[in-house]
Amino acid sequence: MAKAATVYDVARHAGVSIATVSMAFRRPDRVKQSTRDLVFASAQALHYVPSASARGLADGRTGVLGLFSFDYLLPAAAATAGAEPGGPITFVREYPDEWCREFPLYVDEIQRGMELACWQHDYALMIGGPSRAGGTDTVTDIAGHVDGLAVFPQTLPADALERIAGRIPVVAVSEPPQDDRLSHVTVDNRGGTRAVTEHLIRDHGRRDLLFVGGLNPAEGRARFAGFRDAVRAAGLRVPRKPLVPQTRVTPSGRAAVTLPDDLTLPEAFVCATDDVALDILDILAARGVRVPEQVAVTGFDGIVAGRVARPALTTVRQPMPEMGRLVVDVLLRHIADPARPPEFCELPVQVVLRESCGCPPR
């Protein structure tokens, strides 16, 4: 295979500087038409494809942003992969219901918001996640090829995040980072959970409520605090800690929560996420418990699966695509002005009333 042409080859062929070649591809409006035509003709003659590093030679930038995310489905995908390309077409009447619960999740909607914002600003988006070995090689590689990086919680050790933030702008998504020198974009987790809990108490007369979900990451603690705010204001017993459910692995590889067989059912489950709430709906249905007649259930996130569940899930909707767009805006502001102080952004949420809390269907 012939060696690929480089930006240096194009510059030499066109008789211009490498900065001019880079500028012709990165910001063609800043290059004279005749020079631009010359560069493009040389690139075509040499079969040159500009790389991110070559595009950035003119201004030290790559034109790429990074997202270090996580995927609930990677283990399942690895377990179920194996369909051969070009294999026979199979016919099915329907996919398993469980698949509808696996996509899109809130990380997918935030990613979509970032993709749209990157497209609007003429940036590319590079996406990666933790390796099975648990090292930081993947994110280090991504950080070396992007102008700024967005990071979801608990995907990186604090020291690795600090090292990267010393080189490029970093925005923590969903919860504040341990390092207050980093920007972050989050939502009103506490206020949203307080509002949906107040609705259960005030509008449906539920007095015995149970919060289900962990306290880590920090958004879980904020949601539990909002739950406690609401029950305290109503003069009800304030629990010291939530019910942290155990999990089991489903046939598709997804981790689903379980409830103790001897659990005394409350009048309402206030769940830290929609995923937890949907699993509880399944458990209650299997036990013959009617929702919402006997027990109300609410979630938090606003994923699509909650809308198509039966009964449809009352939830606190995060503005997930808007979060992704805002992350890009924050990154671009800090790329343009590296001395800019960190930004702490909290977006409002919406309580979406559906059947699982006792509200009538629309």
Side-chain angles (χ1 to χ4, degrees), residues 1-10 43 46-51:
M1 181 179 295
K3 182 180 178 181
T6 69
V7 65
Y8 300 97
D9 298 325
V10 175
L46 298 173
H47 304 290
Y48 168 72
V49 178
S51 66

Side-chain angles (χ1 to χ4, degrees), residues 95-158:
Y95 288 113
D97 290 343
E98 194 172 57
W99 287 18
C100 301
R101 301 268 286 274
E102 297 173 343
F103 181 85
L105 300 178
Y106 94 102
V107 292
D108 304 307
E109 293 202 47
I110 291 175
Q111 176 182 316
R112 178 60 174 162
M114 289 191 66
E115 290 170 345
L116 292 172
C118 283
W119 173 82
Q120 182 180 6
H121 293 285
D122 197 25
Y123 264 76
L125 182 64
M126 180 181 293
I127 303 169
S131 65
R132 284 196 290 179
T136 58
D137 291 347
T138 302
V139 71
T140 301
D141 186 53
I142 291 174
H145 291 82
V146 300
D147 298 328
L149 182 68
V151 180
F152 275 103
Q154 297 186 312
T155 54
L156 272 180

Side-chain angles (χ1 to χ4, degrees), residues 55 82 87 149 151 182 196 217 235 239 261 273:
R55 289 195 305 269
L149 182 68
V151 180
L182 300 182
V196 76
D261 292 333
T273 68

Side-chain angles (χ1 to χ4, degrees), residues 10 16 37 56 59 61 87 89-90 104 107 109 166 178 182 189-190 192 244 259 276 281 284 300 312 347:
V10 175
V16 299
D37 291 344
D59 56 9
R61 297 178 186 169
I89 296 174
T90 59
V107 292
E109 293 202 47
Q178 297 178 10
L182 300 182
N189 290 290
R190 185 167 186 163
V244 179
L259 292 176
V276 171
L281 286 178
L284 295 176
F300 198 115
L347 295 177

